[in-house]
Amino acid sequence: MWARARTDTRLAIALAGRDPDVPEERGHTLRADYLRLLALGLSPGRAELILGISGAGAWRGGDPTFAAACDAVSAASPPYGTSRIIRLTPQRVARFLGELSKPGATVIAAAAAIGVSSAAIYQRRGRDEEFSRAMDDARASAQQATPSGPR
């Protein structure tokens, strides 16, 4: 129930011992839901349409703190329907192979160093033989560069 309260504003208000249906709490619920929709990347107009609010700009403009929060959330969110896929460009591949050729490096650490997932690396390895050979070469050079330890 507590996990659900993190995303359900009405439940959170009820758990706080207040009535979520009073007008003041209804305003809090609408504001929280509006911010959630903006965080998903929806435009203010689309968020207003979904919530059934007309002229949300009026109540948004009445509170400078809330307006600033709306602007900050909108600025930090990608447009709805876009993804934040980071492509394995030739520059990133070169950086990845450089990281992988360091002694003790792992695929996970090398992928994280260039900002991609290890799953993306392994997918590329599965479909690109040249990339697969380059990874093998980078791992081999890392093993050769690793000191053999005390004698």
Side-chain angles (χ1 to χ4, degrees):
M1 178 161 53
W2 297 110
R4 170 81 185 197
R6 288 187 204 137
T7 59
D8 186 338
T9 309
R10 287 180 47 79
L11 178 59
I13 291 170
L15 289 172
R18 294 155 64 182
D19 182 3
D21 293 322
V22 298
E24 178 182 309
E25 301 302 342
R26 172 92 174 113
H28 292 151
T29 303
L30 276 176
R31 286 177 174 212
D33 290 341
Y34 185 73
L35 286 172
R36 274 194 201 105
L37 291 172
L38 292 179
L40 289 173
L42 274 73
S43 68
R46 175 80 41 111
E48 293 168 15
L49 181 67
I50 290 170
L51 294 174
I53 306 168
S54 61
W59 60 269
R60 182 182 160 190
D63 183 353
T65 305
F66 181 64
C70 291
D71 293 341
V73 168
S74 290
S77 303
Y80 184 74
T82 62
S83 62
R84 293 184 178 184
I85 295 173
I86 297 177
R87 304 280 180 210
L88 276 172
T89 62
Q91 295 83 8
R92 279 202 172 91
V93 168
R95 284 183 33 221
F96 168 76
L97 294 171
E99 290 292 325
L100 192 60
S101 65
K102 294 179 180 176
T106 64
V107 171
I108 293 172
I114 66 163
V116 299
S117 68
S118 58
I121 296 295
Y122 285 116
Q123 287 172 1
R124 173 77 175 263
R125 180 181 173 92
R127 69 175 186 270
D128 185 344
E129 288 182 31
E130 185 179 333
F131 179 69
S132 180
R133 281 192 298 275
M135 277 183 67
D136 293 340
D137 293 344
R139 285 180 170 164
S141 69
Q143 288 178 348
Q144 290 173 356
T146 304
S148 57
R151 294 181 192 233

